[in-house]
mmCIF file of all heavy atoms in Angstrom:
data_model
loop_
_atom_site.group_PDB
_atom_site.id
_atom_site.type_symbol
_atom_site.label_atom_id
_atom_site.label_comp_id
_atom_site.label_asym_id
_atom_site.label_seq_id
_atom_site.Cartn_x
_atom_site.Cartn_y
_atom_site.Cartn_z
ATOM 1 N N PRO A 863 77.383 131.682 19.178
ATOM 2 C CA PRO A 863 78.409 132.711 18.967
ATOM 3 C C PRO A 863 77.849 134.121 18.829
ATOM 4 O O PRO A 863 78.529 135.087 19.183
ATOM 5 C CB PRO A 863 79.110 132.252 17.683
ATOM 6 C CG PRO A 863 78.150 131.324 17.009
ATOM 7 C CD PRO A 863 77.391 130.664 18.106
ATOM 8 N N THR A 864 76.610 134.276 18.344
ATOM 9 C CA THR A 864 76.048 135.627 18.291
ATOM 10 C C THR A 864 75.827 136.170 19.697
ATOM 11 O O THR A 864 75.998 137.375 19.935
ATOM 12 C CB THR A 864 74.706 135.664 17.529
ATOM 13 O OG1 THR A 864 73.800 134.722 18.092
ATOM 14 C CG2 THR A 864 74.904 135.388 16.060
ATOM 15 N N LYS A 865 75.474 135.308 20.643
ATOM 16 C CA LYS A 865 75.280 135.788 22.012
ATOM 17 C C LYS A 865 76.606 136.199 22.637
ATOM 18 O O LYS A 865 76.655 137.111 23.471
ATOM 19 C CB LYS A 865 74.600 134.708 22.863
ATOM 20 C CG LYS A 865 73.275 134.217 22.299
ATOM 21 C CD LYS A 865 72.351 135.358 21.926
ATOM 22 C CE LYS A 865 71.234 134.925 21.019
ATOM 23 N NZ LYS A 865 71.591 134.743 19.626
ATOM 24 N N ALA A 866 77.690 135.547 22.228
ATOM 25 C CA ALA A 866 79.013 135.958 22.686
ATOM 26 C C ALA A 866 79.334 137.358 22.159
ATOM 27 O O ALA A 866 79.848 138.213 22.893
ATOM 28 C CB ALA A 866 80.074 134.958 22.226
ATOM 29 N N LEU A 867 79.032 137.615 20.885
ATOM 30 C CA LEU A 867 79.243 138.948 20.325
ATOM 31 C C LEU A 867 78.391 139.983 21.049
ATOM 32 O O LEU A 867 78.867 141.068 21.416
ATOM 33 C CB LEU A 867 78.903 138.961 18.838
ATOM 34 C CG LEU A 867 79.780 138.143 17.890
ATOM 35 C CD1 LEU A 867 79.238 138.250 16.463
ATOM 36 C CD2 LEU A 867 81.235 138.592 17.938
ATOM 37 N N LEU A 868 77.128 139.662 21.246
ATOM 38 C CA LEU A 868 76.219 140.602 21.893
ATOM 39 C C LEU A 868 76.643 140.919 23.322
ATOM 40 O O LEU A 868 76.506 142.058 23.782
ATOM 41 C CB LEU A 868 74.793 140.042 21.875
ATOM 42 C CG LEU A 868 74.096 140.117 20.514
ATOM 43 C CD1 LEU A 868 72.947 139.136 20.434
ATOM 44 C CD2 LEU A 868 73.614 141.545 20.248
ATOM 45 N N LYS A 869 77.187 139.936 24.027
ATOM 46 C CA LYS A 869 77.666 140.180 25.385
ATOM 47 C C LYS A 869 78.854 141.144 25.366
ATOM 48 O O LYS A 869 78.945 142.045 26.220
ATOM 49 C CB LYS A 869 78.042 138.867 26.062
ATOM 50 C CG LYS A 869 78.582 139.029 27.487
ATOM 51 C CD LYS A 869 77.609 139.791 28.396
ATOM 52 C CE LYS A 869 76.382 138.990 28.738
ATOM 53 N NZ LYS A 869 75.552 139.684 29.772
ATOM 54 N N SER A 870 79.756 140.982 24.404
ATOM 55 C CA SER A 870 80.877 141.921 24.283
ATOM 56 C C SER A 870 80.361 143.330 24.009
ATOM 57 O O SER A 870 80.829 144.311 24.606
ATOM 58 C CB SER A 870 81.824 141.484 23.162
ATOM 59 O OG SER A 870 82.506 140.301 23.492
ATOM 60 N N GLY A 871 79.385 143.442 23.095
ATOM 61 C CA GLY A 871 78.809 144.744 22.795
ATOM 62 C C GLY A 871 78.118 145.357 24.001
ATOM 63 O O GLY A 871 78.249 146.559 24.273
ATOM 64 N N GLU A 872 77.399 144.534 24.745
ATOM 65 C CA GLU A 872 76.699 145.005 25.936
ATOM 66 C C GLU A 872 77.687 145.511 26.985
ATOM 67 O O GLU A 872 77.491 146.572 27.595
ATOM 68 C CB GLU A 872 75.866 143.855 26.511
ATOM 69 C CG GLU A 872 75.142 144.174 27.804
ATOM 70 C CD GLU A 872 74.514 142.943 28.426
ATOM 71 O OE1 GLU A 872 74.194 141.993 27.690
ATOM 72 O OE2 GLU A 872 74.352 142.937 29.662
ATOM 73 N N LYS A 873 78.773 144.744 27.199
ATOM 74 C CA LYS A 873 79.780 145.153 28.183
ATOM 75 C C LYS A 873 80.420 146.476 27.786
ATOM 76 O O LYS A 873 80.639 147.362 28.620
ATOM 77 C CB LYS A 873 80.857 144.074 28.311
ATOM 78 C CG LYS A 873 80.380 142.761 28.911
ATOM 79 C CD LYS A 873 80.111 142.898 30.397
ATOM 80 C CE LYS A 873 79.821 141.537 31.028
ATOM 81 N NZ LYS A 873 79.486 141.657 32.475
ATOM 82 N N TYR A 874 80.750 146.609 26.496
ATOM 83 C CA TYR A 874 81.387 147.836 26.043
ATOM 84 C C TYR A 874 80.438 149.023 26.158
ATOM 85 O O TYR A 874 80.824 150.106 26.626
ATOM 86 C CB TYR A 874 81.849 147.681 24.588
ATOM 87 C CG TYR A 874 82.537 148.914 24.056
ATOM 88 C CD1 TYR A 874 83.784 149.297 24.548
ATOM 89 C CD2 TYR A 874 81.935 149.687 23.071
ATOM 90 C CE1 TYR A 874 84.417 150.443 24.065
ATOM 91 C CE2 TYR A 874 82.560 150.833 22.584
ATOM 92 C CZ TYR A 874 83.796 151.203 23.087
ATOM 93 O OH TYR A 874 84.418 152.333 22.621
ATOM 94 N N GLU A 875 79.195 148.826 25.763
ATOM 95 C CA GLU A 875 78.220 149.909 25.844
ATOM 96 C C GLU A 875 78.009 150.359 27.284
ATOM 97 O O GLU A 875 77.824 151.553 27.563
ATOM 98 C CB GLU A 875 76.888 149.462 25.229
ATOM 99 C CG GLU A 875 75.877 150.571 25.084
ATOM 100 C CD GLU A 875 74.595 150.119 24.406
ATOM 101 O OE1 GLU A 875 74.268 148.916 24.493
ATOM 102 O OE2 GLU A 875 73.936 150.953 23.779
ATOM 103 N N SER A 876 78.067 149.410 28.230
ATOM 104 C CA SER A 876 77.846 149.758 29.637
ATOM 105 C C SER A 876 78.938 150.678 30.183
ATOM 106 O O SER A 876 78.708 151.414 31.152
ATOM 107 C CB SER A 876 77.770 148.481 30.485
ATOM 108 O OG SER A 876 79.029 147.843 30.567
ATOM 109 N N LEU A 877 80.123 150.668 29.555
ATOM 110 C CA LEU A 877 81.213 151.528 30.027
ATOM 111 C C LEU A 877 80.874 152.998 29.888
ATOM 112 O O LEU A 877 81.388 153.841 30.639
ATOM 113 C CB LEU A 877 82.493 151.217 29.245
ATOM 114 C CG LEU A 877 83.083 149.820 29.429
ATOM 115 C CD1 LEU A 877 84.301 149.633 28.542
ATOM 116 C CD2 LEU A 877 83.435 149.561 30.890
ATOM 117 N N SER A 878 80.002 153.322 28.946
ATOM 118 C CA SER A 878 79.622 154.726 28.758
ATOM 119 C C SER A 878 78.605 155.194 29.792
ATOM 120 O O SER A 878 78.264 156.378 29.832
ATOM 121 C CB SER A 878 79.055 154.939 27.348
ATOM 122 O OG SER A 878 77.863 154.184 27.167
ATOM 123 N N HIS A 879 78.128 154.263 30.626
ATOM 124 C CA HIS A 879 77.145 154.620 31.657
ATOM 125 C C HIS A 879 77.680 154.397 33.068
ATOM 126 O O HIS A 879 76.910 154.378 34.020
ATOM 127 C CB HIS A 879 75.871 153.790 31.469
ATOM 128 C CG HIS A 879 75.261 153.910 30.109
ATOM 129 N ND1 HIS A 879 74.705 155.072 29.639
ATOM 130 C CD2 HIS A 879 75.139 153.015 29.095
ATOM 131 C CE1 HIS A 879 74.251 154.890 28.412
ATOM 132 N NE2 HIS A 879 74.514 153.651 28.054
ATOM 133 N N LEU A 880 78.987 154.248 33.205
ATOM 134 C CA LEU A 880 79.560 153.963 34.528
ATOM 135 C C LEU A 880 79.259 155.073 35.535
ATOM 136 O O LEU A 880 79.074 154.806 36.722
ATOM 137 C CB LEU A 880 81.068 153.750 34.407
ATOM 138 C CG LEU A 880 81.527 152.460 33.717
ATOM 139 C CD1 LEU A 880 83.045 152.414 33.667
ATOM 140 C CD2 LEU A 880 80.979 151.231 34.417
ATOM 141 N N LYS A 881 79.213 156.317 35.055
ATOM 142 C CA LYS A 881 78.955 157.438 35.950
ATOM 143 C C LYS A 881 77.618 157.283 36.669
ATOM 144 O O LYS A 881 77.459 157.716 37.815
ATOM 145 C CB LYS A 881 78.981 158.741 35.149
ATOM 146 C CG LYS A 881 78.907 159.993 36.011
ATOM 147 C CD LYS A 881 79.002 161.251 35.145
ATOM 148 C CE LYS A 881 78.901 162.500 36.006
ATOM 149 N NZ LYS A 881 78.989 163.754 35.176
ATOM 150 N N ASP A 882 76.662 156.654 35.993
ATOM 151 C CA ASP A 882 75.340 156.450 36.604
ATOM 152 C C ASP A 882 75.422 155.570 37.839
ATOM 153 O O ASP A 882 74.524 155.606 38.691
ATOM 154 C CB ASP A 882 74.384 155.805 35.592
ATOM 155 C CG ASP A 882 74.122 156.687 34.382
ATOM 156 O OD1 ASP A 882 74.345 157.910 34.481
ATOM 157 O OD2 ASP A 882 73.701 156.150 33.344
#
Side-chain angles (χ1 to χ4, degrees):
T864 54
K865 304 311 163 282
L867 294 178
L868 285 159
K869 179 56 71 172
S870 291
E872 177 189 334
K873 293 288 188 183
Y874 181 69
E875 188 177 26
S876 69
L877 295 177
S878 63
H879 304 293
L880 289 179
K881 188 177 179 180
D882 297 340

